[in-house]
């Protein structure tokens, strides 16, 4: 695992974030999914992996994994500060996409490659960096990103939210519930509930099985998030 993490170039993983923030990337992005619409999602996984390896005591003798984690968080913070609203992501055409969503044109997400799924990886990587290594910069960036999300969907109706959630969105409900614990602010728990996909979760809560033929990787995080909300609320 350590050898695999060391084989990656952090600047290539960061390239989509700098591009979307209007900053000059320091290296060309990786290819394939990282340059064909899902740009930036691997960096979130990489943050989680670095944090987990550090927490397990498997860093290099020179603490290279922690150096990489700190460096990436510093660069992500720089990208976020270049944004006028606290957004952070590598989704191609981010500014136009989220402007459309904020205006109620939620169908815009369906013309992109699973942008909420993509952003969930960034949320989760920042969360793991804070919880597993105590990096306070990760916490600050994470909470600013949560505030961006809260503002973005504040004026969307329930019908618009559910229409948007018809596209794969990872574990957004789970990570927003975690933000409630990290910050102590209940607004994030209310926000987490807004990301419950009712078409899948409501039948399950009534002991009905709507899952046959559905993509497993899309559905399982929704249920994990529901469990997290239920645990925090005692429901």
């Amino acid at each position: 695992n350590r050898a695999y993490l060391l084989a990656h170039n952090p600047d290539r993983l960061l390239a989509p974030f700098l591009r979307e923030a209007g900053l000059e990337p320091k290296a060309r992005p990786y290819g394939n999914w990282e340059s064909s619409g899902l740009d930036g999602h691997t960096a979130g996984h990489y943050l989680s992996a670095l944090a987990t390896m550090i927490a397990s005591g498997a860093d290099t003798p020179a603490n290279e994994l922690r150096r990489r984690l700190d460096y990436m968080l510093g660069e992500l913070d720089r990208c976020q500060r270049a944004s006028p609203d606290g957004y952070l992501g590598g989704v191609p055409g981010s500014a136009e996409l989220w402007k459309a969503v904020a205006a109620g044109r939620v169908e815009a997400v369906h013309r992109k490659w699973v942008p909420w799924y993509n952003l969930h990886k960034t949320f989760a990587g920042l969360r793991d960096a804070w919880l597993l290594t105590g990096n306070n910069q990760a916490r600050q960036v994470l909470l600013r990103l949560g505030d961006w999300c809260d503002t973005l969907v504040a004026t969307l109706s329930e019908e618009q939210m559910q229409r948007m959630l018809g596209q794969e969105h990872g574990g957004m409900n789970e990570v927003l519930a975690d933000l409630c614990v990290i910050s102590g602010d209940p607004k994030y728990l209310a926000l987490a509930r807004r990301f419950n996909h009712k078409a899948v979760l409501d039948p399950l809560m009534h002991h009905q099985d709507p899952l046959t033929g559905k993509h497993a990787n899309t559905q399982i995080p929704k249920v994990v998030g529901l469990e997290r909300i239920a645990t925090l609320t005692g429901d």
Side-chain angles (χ1 to χ4, degrees), residues 12-56:
R12 295 189 71 181
L13 294 172
L14 289 163
F17 296 87
L18 273 74
R19 180 196 69 216
E20 294 303 313
L23 303 173
E24 184 66 29
K26 299 179 181 179
R28 61 183 178 87
Y30 282 105
N32 206 334
W33 283 14
E34 279 293 312
S35 292
S36 56
L38 206 54
D39 312 30
H41 81 289
T42 307
H45 287 303
Y46 193 69
L47 292 176
S48 294
L50 290 174
T52 304
M53 288 292 286
I54 292 165
S56 75

Side-chain angles (χ1 to χ4, degrees), residues 19 21 84 106 128 140:
R19 180 196 69 216
V106 297
D128 294 342
Q140 293 171 356

Side-chain angles (χ1 to χ4, degrees), residues 111-125:
R111 295 194 289 269
K112 296 285 186 178
W113 190 356
V114 293
W116 282 115
Y117 170 93
N118 188 337
L119 283 192
H120 169 251
K121 307 302 165 260
T122 301
F123 271 98

Side-chain angles (χ1 to χ4, degrees), residues 61-216:
N63 295 322
E64 173 63 15
L65 299 184
R66 185 174 290 275
R67 186 198 69 78
R68 290 184 179 213
L69 181 66
D70 292 347
Y71 172 73
M72 289 189 69
L73 292 169
E75 288 293 281
L76 292 172
D77 180 72
R78 186 165 71 93
C79 290
Q80 189 180 53
R81 292 183 184 279
S83 168
D85 56 9
Y87 171 70
L88 175 66
V91 179
S94 289
E96 297 80 5
L97 168 65
W98 301 119
K99 182 179 179 180
V101 170
R105 301 192 300 275
V106 297
E107 64 278 0
V109 301
H110 299 284
R111 295 194 289 269
K112 296 285 186 178
W113 190 356
V114 293
W116 282 115
Y117 170 93
N118 188 337
L119 283 192
H120 169 251
K121 307 302 165 260
T122 301
F123 271 98
L126 293 167
R127 175 199 61 193
D128 294 342
W130 162 245
L131 293 178
L132 295 174
T133 76
N135 185 299
N136 193 57
Q137 193 169 42
R139 183 181 186 274
Q140 293 171 356
V141 174
L142 174 62
L143 293 179
R144 288 198 296 265
L145 189 57
D147 290 341
W148 165 83
C149 179
D150 190 40
T151 300
L152 179 80
V153 304
T155 61
L156 298 184
S157 69
E158 184 63 17
E159 184 275 333
Q160 288 170 320
M161 282 295 299
Q162 292 302 312
R163 189 148 42 93
M164 188 166 62
L165 296 178
Q167 187 193 63
E168 186 175 8
H169 50 273
M172 282 299 302
N173 55 351
E174 179 197 22
V175 78
L176 291 168
D178 288 338
L179 258 66
C180 174
V181 177
I182 291 168
S183 67
D185 192 334
K187 76 175 183 181
Y188 296 117
L189 190 57
L191 183 59
R193 286 194 174 101
R194 297 208 71 195
F195 277 85
N196 282 338
H197 187 205
K198 293 184 176 181
V200 171
L201 297 176
D202 283 1
L204 293 176
M205 287 191 282
H206 290 93
H207 303 281
Q208 300 164 7
D209 180 0
L211 298 175
T212 300
K214 288 185 171 63
H215 183 225

